[in-house]
């Protein structure tokens, strides 16, 4: 029984990880030495507006900021104190767009090796789903005062309206963590 449990548990964990609804990606400037970046701050004190009432509220923005703080703390990055010049400036934007998913289902009925004497049908199923996108930009302050984009992460997931506040936070945290899988970027 112990052997079966040792074989089943890793497979189950792998399967649960594959069920994640968040996809993420990142891109970065290969000329930036990310190992020297130790402190960070949000670029804007006020959250960016999107024009979408589901996103333009303090609950959503506090969840994103909390997730960034938690993820950066796990990576050893320290949030800069007021008046302290940070190594990284963080900004983000979010949007919700509609995505059309089309599935074709084939049904063959009949008998014999080539279904002769039967019939076939192809059903098309069309669904329109809301997909939320979160972009996380990490900028490096420059001597001229204009920050330069050093790293960008993007994540998307299907939006479900029936999530609890805790589930909403967990989804945002998962998105931020998946993006920050590539931060700091691997050395060349």
């Amino acid at each position: 029984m112990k052997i079966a449990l040792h074989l089943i548990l890793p497979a189950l964990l792998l399967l649960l990880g594959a069920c994640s609804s968040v996809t993420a990606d990142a891109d970065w400037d290969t000329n930036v030495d990310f190992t020297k970046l130790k402190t960070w701050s949000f670029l804007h004190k006020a959250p960016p507006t999107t024009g979408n009432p589901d996103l333009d509220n303090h609950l959503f923005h506090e969840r994103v900021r909390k997730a960034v703080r938690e993820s950066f703390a796990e990576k050893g990055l320290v949030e800069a104190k007021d008046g302290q010049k940070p190594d990284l400036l963080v900004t983000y934007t979010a949007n919700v767009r509609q995505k059309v998913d089309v599935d074709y289902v084939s049904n063959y009925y009949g008998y014999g090796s080539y279904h002769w004497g039967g019939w076939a049908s192809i059903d098309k199923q069309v669904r329109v789903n809301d997909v939320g996108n979160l972009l996380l930009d990490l900028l490096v302050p420059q001597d001229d005062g204009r920050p330069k984009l050093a790293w960008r992460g993007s994540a998307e997931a299907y939006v479900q309206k029936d999530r609890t506040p805790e589930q909403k936070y967990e989804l945002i945290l998962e998105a931020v963590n998946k993006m920050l899988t590539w931060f700091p970027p691997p050395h060349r």
Side-chain angles (χ1 to χ4, degrees):
M1 182 66 173
K2 286 184 179 179
I3 294 172
L5 186 59
H6 289 292
L7 295 174
I8 294 172
L9 188 59
L12 182 61
L13 292 174
L14 183 62
L15 181 63
L16 289 174
C19 295
S20 172
S21 61
V22 176
T23 59
D25 194 14
D27 193 12
W28 55 87
D29 184 342
T30 58
N31 296 316
V32 175
D33 184 359
F34 289 93
T35 61
K36 295 181 179 179
L37 307 175
K38 305 293 182 201
T39 61
W40 68 276
S41 179
F42 285 106
L43 178 63
H44 305 288
K45 297 300 178 204
T49 58
T50 66
N52 182 332
D54 290 332
L55 301 175
D56 290 341
N57 67 70
H58 75 281
L59 299 172
F60 171 76
H61 292 290
E62 284 306 312
R63 289 181 187 120
V64 172
R65 288 172 179 248
K66 180 181 175 186
V68 168
R69 284 184 178 102
E70 187 175 317
S71 296
F72 276 169
E74 287 178 11
K75 291 186 172 287
L77 291 155
V78 178
E79 188 169 5
K81 306 283 187 230
D82 285 341
Q84 180 184 6
K85 183 180 176 185
D87 300 325
L88 274 175
L89 296 169
V90 178
T91 188
Y92 62 92
T93 186
N95 66 50
V96 176
R97 64 179 172 80
Q98 289 191 325
K99 180 179 179 184
V100 177
D101 292 319
V102 180
D103 292 324
Y104 294 93
V105 179
S106 300
N107 299 309
Y108 296 101
Y109 299 98
Y111 47 89
S113 59
Y114 294 102
H115 303 290
W116 52 273
W119 59 276
S121 69
I122 298 177
D123 295 326
K124 179 169 61 169
Q125 299 172 348
V126 179
R127 293 178 314 282
V128 178
N129 297 299
D130 288 335
V131 175
N133 297 62
L134 181 64
L135 288 177
L136 184 64
D137 287 342
L138 307 181
L139 304 114
V140 178
Q142 301 294 300
D143 293 334
D144 64 3
R146 295 173 43 191
K148 175 185 172 188
L149 180 63
W151 184 96
R152 171 173 279 175
S154 63
E156 80 173 26
Y158 287 103
V159 175
Q160 295 175 337
K161 300 286 186 184
D162 59 349
R163 293 181 195 257
T164 65
E166 293 81 14
Q167 290 171 325
K168 290 175 184 178
Y169 173 70
E170 288 301 319
L171 184 64
I172 291 169
L173 180 61
E174 181 183 354
V176 170
N177 282 336
K178 278 194 172 184
M179 285 186 276
L180 290 176
T181 300
W182 292 285
F183 185 86
H187 295 307
R188 291 186 263 167

